[in-house]
Amino acid sequence: MGDNAAVKNHHHHHQVFDVSADVAPAGSKCFDDDGRLKRTGTVWTASAHIITAVIGSGVLSLAWATAQLGWIAGPTVLFLFSFVTYYTSTLLAACYRSGDHSTGKRNYTYMDAVQSNLGGMKVKICGWIQYLNLFGVAIGYTIASSISMMAVKRSNCFHASGGKDPCKISSTPYMLAFGAAEILFSQIPDFDQISWLSIVAAVMSFTYSSIGLGLGIAKVAESGKFKGSLTGISIGTVTETQKVWRSFQALGDIAFAYSYSLILVEIQDTLKSPPSESKTMKKATLISVSVTTLFYMLCGCFGYAAFGDLAPGNLLTGFGFYNPFWVLDIANVAIVVHLVGAYQVYCQPLFAFVEKTAADWFPDSEFIKKEYRIQTPIPGFSHFRLNFFRLVWRTLFVILTTVISMLMPFFNGVVGILGAFGFWPLTVYFPVEMYIVQKKIPKWSTRWISLQILSAACLVISIAAATGSFAGLIEDLKSYKPFKASY
């Protein structure tokens, strides 16, 4: 999961227009068939958005995941997840328009698509899962960025003492610092103006992923041998039950690394037509999932080859500190910068949803509705819109995510739970169900049965991954006191 800022940006620029089909004549030069500004996206912009969004911090846990599964199952599972993600993404792409796929009514967001294809209770369930997942992402990102900040501090302390000082550090001050930064950034009312953010985030995620990959390759070259075994981490290093749970948790980590169905519809809404958006989207999905898979295979496999059974849960911070320490520092600073922005991108839809709901519930409340304009000396922000409800609620939200992160600072466990929790419903179940409705696939036909089998298999994987991640969390909690995490 990465940073769909560019998507959101592109997406919000043209929402000024009234969405009704009769605003603009068909075939008009400046407007699309729904009266919004002409969309200009192509296969390449869509692929870039997807790659930016997918290659995020999930890549850091792949070497660990590969180590749990071994040389046979590891790459196989990575490949299978990429295939399922590709296939269900094409199903989801077919649901962008309801009815005819080149002239039907557009669905602007994932929930709109569920609304127009399935309706009823399912829309609510989809919303809950989506927003819970976004909430979880906020926690995962707080943990990951504090780990990276500590890694920089530790590698410098290690370097200064020549490796004699074990450099124990508490994670609490770093989480508080990250939380403080996010409280500030959360006050930006709408995130759509900041298109540079996505570019920065994309550059950052490629920076640290490539450094991780490069260090893995360098370490393999240096020792001249590939570590690891065909079946993964050996019984003895871990007990048999641990082995099972950890393999399941690895599935969750991998699912998390691929999840972008949350934003697929939003990306598709930036594409120009003809050709129909779903055709373009299928091509873009094929390109981006292939690139991502290649990259993930390299990161997962070289990380495993470099460290074998000892592959760390977070590739860039569980490292032996002997390599050029400044390279690791660059990578970890890149992660922090990326996550500070990505946190906002993932939280903005959640903020918007809560604020809209509050306004609907209390239509007359001054506290919720009233905006105060405050002049500021900062160039580019000549005035700031202050709203008390926004100020209070967003601040409380950031405080809550920070406190939870301090209570359970385990990157792998949290990532595994999120991946497991979002994978089946958002990546498989809803796309399959909507596709069946959209294409009117008859019950019990071969096509219907095979889609249901796919969905059932993925549900089993999701449940396994969730239980494995919970077991992992419980194991982590045994040896740990809240707010006292130190590395």
Side-chain angles (χ1 to χ4, degrees):
M1 23 166 133
D3 14 274
N4 32 354
V7 183
K8 288 281 187 309
N9 282 305
H10 194 111
H11 190 56
H12 283 292
H13 279 317
H14 43 238
Q15 277 176 356
V16 237
F17 295 93
D18 176 32
V19 189
S20 46
D22 52 17
V23 180
S28 132
K29 287 227 166 54
C30 325
F31 299 98
D32 272 330
D33 55 6
D34 59 343
R36 294 192 178 185
L37 266 184
K38 262 252 185 281
R39 293 164 175 80
T40 54
T42 60
V43 171
W44 298 111
T45 60
S47 306
H49 284 332
I50 297 171
I51 292 169
T52 306
V54 180
I55 298 183
S57 53
V59 73
L60 300 172
S61 60
L62 290 177
W64 181 88
T66 311
Q68 308 316 307
L69 299 166
W71 279 121
I72 299 175
T76 310
V77 168
L78 270 167
F79 180 74
L80 279 175
F81 268 100
S82 73
F83 175 74
V84 170
T85 304
Y86 166 69
Y87 181 68
T88 57
S89 298
T90 61
L91 301 185
L92 190 54
C95 301
Y96 171 63
R97 286 177 183 267
S98 307
D100 184 274
H101 67 104
S102 46
T103 57
K105 180 185 149 307
R106 296 166 186 265
N107 298 307
Y108 300 111
T109 63
Y110 198 130
M111 274 179 82
D112 288 348
V114 176
Q115 175 72 60
S116 55
N117 285 297
L118 303 171
M121 197 57 203
K122 286 183 180 166
V123 185
K124 281 204 173 62
I125 295 170
C126 168
W128 271 106
I129 294 171
Q130 212 175 344
Y131 293 121
L132 259 172
N133 223 348
L134 295 177
F135 178 70
V137 168
I139 295 166
Y141 282 0
T142 307
I143 297 168
S145 70
S146 76
I147 293 176
S148 285
M149 289 188 250
M150 285 156 58
V152 172
K153 181 94 175 79
R154 269 188 75 178
S155 90
N156 294 335
C157 141
F158 232 75
H159 193 77
S161 73
K164 297 190 182 51
D165 179 355
C167 301
K168 280 272 180 210
I169 321 178
S170 159
S171 61
T172 307
Y174 297 94
M175 292 199 181
L176 291 173
F178 183 80
E182 293 307 345
I183 287 178
L184 268 175
F185 282 117
S186 298
Q187 296 312 317
I188 300 173
D190 319 305
F191 220 48
D192 13 301
Q193 286 78 24
I194 313 189
S195 53
W196 51 267
L197 183 98
S198 184
I199 298 162
V200 170
V203 171
M204 292 300 158
S205 60
F206 269 111
T207 305
Y208 64 71
S209 307
S210 310
I211 289 178
L213 176 57
L215 289 172
I217 294 174
K219 205 165 162 85
V220 171
E222 177 193 39
S223 67
K225 59 176 189 294
F226 277 73
K227 291 189 177 165
S229 63
L230 294 181
T231 52
I233 198 163
S234 36
I235 309 275
T237 319
V238 289
T239 63
E240 279 188 17
T241 43
Q242 273 180 324
K243 168 91 178 152
V244 173
W245 290 132
R246 285 174 150 214
S247 304
F248 284 168
Q249 187 180 336
L251 294 177
D253 285 7
I254 292 172
F256 177 78
Y258 274 112
S259 62
Y260 76 100
S261 50
L262 285 165
I263 55 162
L264 183 134
V265 182
E266 275 88 342
I267 296 175
Q268 196 163 347
D269 194 36
T270 65
L271 298 176
K272 65 170 182 227
S273 58
S276 78
E277 295 89 353
S278 56
K279 277 205 182 102
T280 311
M281 200 61 191
K282 279 177 191 167
K283 273 189 203 144
T285 304
L286 184 61
I287 294 167
S288 48
V289 172
S290 308
V291 170
T292 306
T293 304
L294 176 70
F295 202 74
Y296 280 2
M297 289 279 192
L298 288 170
C299 280
C301 296
F302 271 106
Y304 183 35
F307 295 103
D309 282 357
L310 301 174
N314 179 329
L315 193 58
L316 290 174
T317 56
F319 251 78
F321 289 101
Y322 334 106
N323 1 14
F325 75 109
W326 53 270
V327 176
L328 274 180
D329 289 352
I330 292 173
N332 282 305
V333 169
I335 292 177
V336 174
V337 173
H338 172 179
L339 293 179
V340 166
Y343 182 100
Q344 287 305 319
V345 173
Y346 272 84
C347 291
Q348 288 292 338
L350 178 60
F351 290 161
F353 174 72
V354 169
E355 280 144 33
K356 187 178 171 301
T357 310
D360 291 346
W361 283 356
F362 306 104
D364 309 325
S365 159
E366 281 265 297
F367 175 66
I368 292 175
K369 287 276 174 75
K370 197 159 171 56
E371 299 253 338
Y372 299 91
R373 291 177 77 122
I374 297 172
Q375 294 298 322
T376 63
I378 311 165
F381 282 106
S382 54
H383 56 267
F384 179 73
R385 306 207 309 275
L386 175 72
N387 163 303
F388 285 114
F389 175 66
R390 190 163 57 219
L391 180 72
V392 172
W393 128 251
R394 293 187 182 190
T395 305
L396 286 174
F397 174 86
V398 176
I399 291 171
L400 179 66
T401 55
T402 310
V403 168
I404 295 176
S405 308
M406 282 152 58
L407 280 171
M408 39 176 252
F410 314 112
F411 181 63
N412 278 64
V414 171
V415 160
I417 286 175
L418 277 174
F421 179 66
F423 173 67
W424 180 70
L426 297 174
T427 305
V428 185
Y429 175 76
F430 285 120
V432 163
E433 291 299 302
M434 291 196 289
Y435 185 75
I436 288 174
V437 170
Q438 183 94 342
K439 292 277 180 264
K440 306 190 171 55
I441 296 171
K443 236 184 180 161
W444 306 112
S445 62
T446 324
R447 189 104 200 252
W448 187 88
I449 292 173
S450 32
L451 284 167
Q452 296 298 349
I453 291 172
L454 172 74
S455 185
C458 291
L459 173 60
V460 173
I461 292 173
S462 252
I463 292 171
T467 41
S469 303
F470 272 117
L473 262 189
I474 289 166
E475 197 167 302
D476 288 338
L477 285 166
K478 279 182 191 155
S479 57
Y480 153 84
K481 302 174 187 58
F483 302 117
K484 298 253 188 323
S486 61
Y487 290 86

